[in-house]
Amino acid sequence: MTVLDLRLTQGLTPSGLPAVRLGEPWLDAYLDFLTARCRPNSVLAAGYDLKVFFTLIAKTPAEVTAADVLGFITAQRTGSAEVLGPVIAVVADADAAGGVSARTVRRRLSSINGFYTFLLARGDITANPVPLGLPTRREHDQPRSSRGSRTPLVRSPRTLPVILNPDEADALTSALRTHRDHAMVAAMLLGGLRRCEVLRLRLEDLNVGARRVFIAEGKGGHQRQIPIFRRFFTHLGDYLSLERPAEADQLGHGHVFCVLKGPRRGHPLSASGLDEVLDGARRRAGLAHVTCHQLRHTCLTRLREAGMALEAIQAQAGHASIESTRIYLHLGDDWLAGQYRRAAEAIDAQAFAGHRTAPPTPEVISPITSTVMGLRGRR
């Protein structure tokens, strides 16, 4: 058994593209493949996931078996420093032993599966050691040709994201100090932009007259043009006329949001810089926890509560699948309450219609209970 000495490094390809390396030929070939089709952060995340896997497994890619993959899942969930065996933990959150969350395990498992699928397509291996799932009881009784989907190796619950209430949103925006910061927060809180989309905005992407912005580099490489409320453009105009450094024009990068102070004045603002701005405003506002993605969730939830169609929210958010947008149906409490109220009133009306000849008295049970009891009697 050969133990790999993997070192995660970043550099540039001969064509100038960002490159991630681990120092193993098959792994580096796969990362090069990802570089041509994924965002740099996605390639870096895949490289890190593969480094974690092969460091823990302590085998070369050709030596890995399905038992190693299952053991890796257990080790990740329990926080063990070694592979203990093919036992699958399915709890939702990291436990006291220091394991990672189920979502992180699923992402790492996806990276490993993608790597071996790549090797299989190239002909380097004859079988993918990553199991597709575990067979269900019903699947054992079916012929192999008709077997359906399997139980996933790792289950992660779909939890509702936390959003800001109106008072918290007002407190946060009141704690911002510059027009630039107001504009960036408004892009997420009023337009539903992702953090990376805010930072990638360029001057040519702004359509001030129509109050729209063009997202040239959305998630997955998808582009879209979306409207944003006028408050964003008000702060944006003040920032461009009063705060944006002249050095930004001299550098010629064209990014809208730049560093305002220090040795990097005029350079594009980084993700850590935006997080620092938001974290400072959060502390001044006295809020416990606020993230850029939380602002995006808040925007899309409020749009749904205001009656915006789900398909329109999908277009605003830039979701590839409307299934990702359906979560805002559950976040919108007013929407759910309204749907329930109309259904309950319809049931109530039907129940009263059956008792028109005999008005209910205090001794008569409620209409809904009467309806339910009647249904039970007909079984």
Side-chain angles (χ1 to χ4, degrees), residues 44-346:
L44 184 61
Y48 180 77
D49 292 340
L50 293 171
K51 181 179 185 298
V52 170
F53 175 72
F54 284 104
T55 300
L56 188 62
I57 295 300
K59 291 184 178 181
T60 64
E63 296 171 327
V64 173
T65 65
D68 295 325
V69 177
L70 298 178
F72 173 76
I73 296 173
T74 301
Q76 289 286 282
R77 296 297 301 120
T78 59
S80 172
E82 59 183 18
V83 175
L84 303 178
V87 182
I88 301 173
V90 294
V91 292
D93 299 313
D95 55 23
V100 299
S101 69
R103 288 187 178 88
T104 300
V105 178
R106 287 188 64 179
R107 191 201 71 205
R108 289 178 178 171
L109 199 60
S110 176
S111 297
I112 299 163
N113 182 60
F115 168 63
Y116 278 105
T117 301
F118 169 76
L119 295 183
L120 189 62
R122 288 205 321 176
D124 296 320
I125 58 176
T126 58
N128 186 340
V130 182
L132 296 178
L134 300 179
T136 62
R137 183 184 304 173
R138 179 182 301 177
E139 191 176 358
H140 282 300
D141 300 330
Q142 296 176 343
R144 182 177 300 272
S145 60
S146 62
R147 290 181 180 178
S149 60
R150 296 187 164 199
T151 302
L153 295 179
V154 180
R155 291 184 181 274
S156 58
R158 186 173 186 178
T159 55
L160 297 179
V162 179
I163 64 173
L164 300 181
N165 62 46
D167 291 338
E168 291 172 332
D170 289 341
L172 179 70
T173 54
S174 298
L176 298 170
R177 291 177 169 174
T178 66
H179 293 297
R180 179 202 64 180
D181 299 347
H182 274 282
M184 292 190 298
V185 169
M188 295 178 283
L189 192 57
L190 300 178
L193 271 68
R194 301 178 177 91
R195 179 182 65 177
C196 62
E197 294 170 347
V198 173
L199 296 174
R200 290 171 183 163
L201 281 178
R202 296 178 176 272
L203 296 175
E204 61 265 25
D205 298 332
L206 306 173
N207 188 340
V208 180
R211 290 179 184 165
R212 296 181 181 179
V213 297
F214 176 64
I215 308 300
E217 298 181 61
K219 186 175 181 179
H222 299 294
Q223 298 181 341
R224 69 188 191 279
Q225 191 169 40
I226 60 171
I228 302 185
F229 194 64
R230 62 177 177 271
R231 191 187 312 166
F232 163 75
F233 286 99
T234 299
H235 289 301
L236 180 68
D238 292 337
Y239 158 67
L240 293 176
S241 60
L242 301 175
E243 295 176 352
R244 190 170 188 268
E247 291 87 340
D249 295 329
Q250 297 170 5
L251 293 170
H253 52 71
H255 286 270
V256 174
F257 298 111
C258 308
V259 179
L260 300 181
K261 299 178 182 178
R264 288 186 51 80
R265 175 180 166 85
H267 287 266
L269 188 68
S270 64
S272 59
L274 177 49
D275 289 341
E276 184 178 346
V277 167
L278 193 61
D279 195 48
R282 176 195 60 78
R283 289 195 303 268
R284 291 189 295 272
L287 301 178
H289 180 72
V290 177
T291 66
C292 293
H293 217 64
Q294 194 173 347
L295 299 181
R296 170 177 161 87
H297 284 312
T298 301
C299 169
L300 300 176
T301 302
R302 300 303 180 212
L303 292 177
R304 178 58 203 174
E305 288 178 337
M308 190 170 180
L310 202 62
E311 292 79 4
I313 296 177
Q314 178 190 6
Q316 183 81 18
H319 289 154
S321 170
I322 200 167
E323 293 302 317
S324 301
T325 317
R326 292 189 187 280
I327 191 172
Y328 299 107
L329 289 176
H330 306 289
L331 285 174
D333 295 335
D334 293 341
W335 173 84
L336 177 59
Q339 294 290 316
Y340 175 80
R341 184 173 58 253
R342 285 190 288 273
E345 289 173 352

Side-chain angles (χ1 to χ4, degrees), residues 29-39 42-43 46-47 50 111 118:
Y30 176 61
L31 293 174
D32 285 341
F33 170 73
L34 289 183
T35 300
R37 63 192 301 270
C38 299
R39 298 292 178 186
S42 300
V43 180
L50 293 171
S111 297
F118 169 76

